[in-house]
Amino acid sequence: EIIAKNGVAASAIKVSKDKRARLQEIVGLIEFGNIEFMDGCEDLITQLVQFPNAANDDMVDAFVHAIMLARKAGKGFVYHQV
């Protein structure tokens, strides 16, 4: 509600699996280096490494949903050469 009130288009995502199962679907992309983490992603990386025992895992869940939505849309991933 707060997001919509501020003019940001957002919609709910229906899930059929728990966080661990959803992460498992994309963990290979991380392990094989298909996803590169840029500077500034330290908090996300910490949550990923500590999952499922981290105090917070909201970034992990948002990250997994973003990757899965990109794959579903067929948009693929954007790679930046450093």
Side-chain angles (χ1 to χ4, degrees):
E1 292 178 28
I2 293 172
I3 293 173
K5 287 179 184 178
N6 289 306
V8 176
S11 59
I13 298 173
K14 294 181 182 180
V15 297
S16 60
K17 299 178 184 176
D18 65 15
K19 288 182 183 184
R20 186 183 301 238
R22 290 192 301 270
L23 178 59
Q24 193 61 40
E25 289 186 27
I26 66 148
V27 76
L29 296 171
I30 299 168
E31 289 176 340
F32 292 112
N34 295 334
I35 296 175
E36 181 178 335
F37 294 93
M38 307 299 280
D39 291 339
C41 293
E42 291 80 10
D43 290 342
L44 170 59
I45 293 167
T46 298
Q47 285 189 19
L48 284 165
V49 170
Q50 294 177 353
F51 186 83
N53 300 315
N56 298 304
D57 61 10
D58 292 337
M59 287 184 184
V60 172
D61 210 28
F63 171 74
V64 169
H65 282 294
I67 299 300
M68 292 175 78
L69 286 171
R71 291 175 71 191
K72 183 178 178 181
K75 303 295 182 188
F77 301 96
V78 176
Y79 294 94
H80 298 279
Q81 290 185 335
V82 191

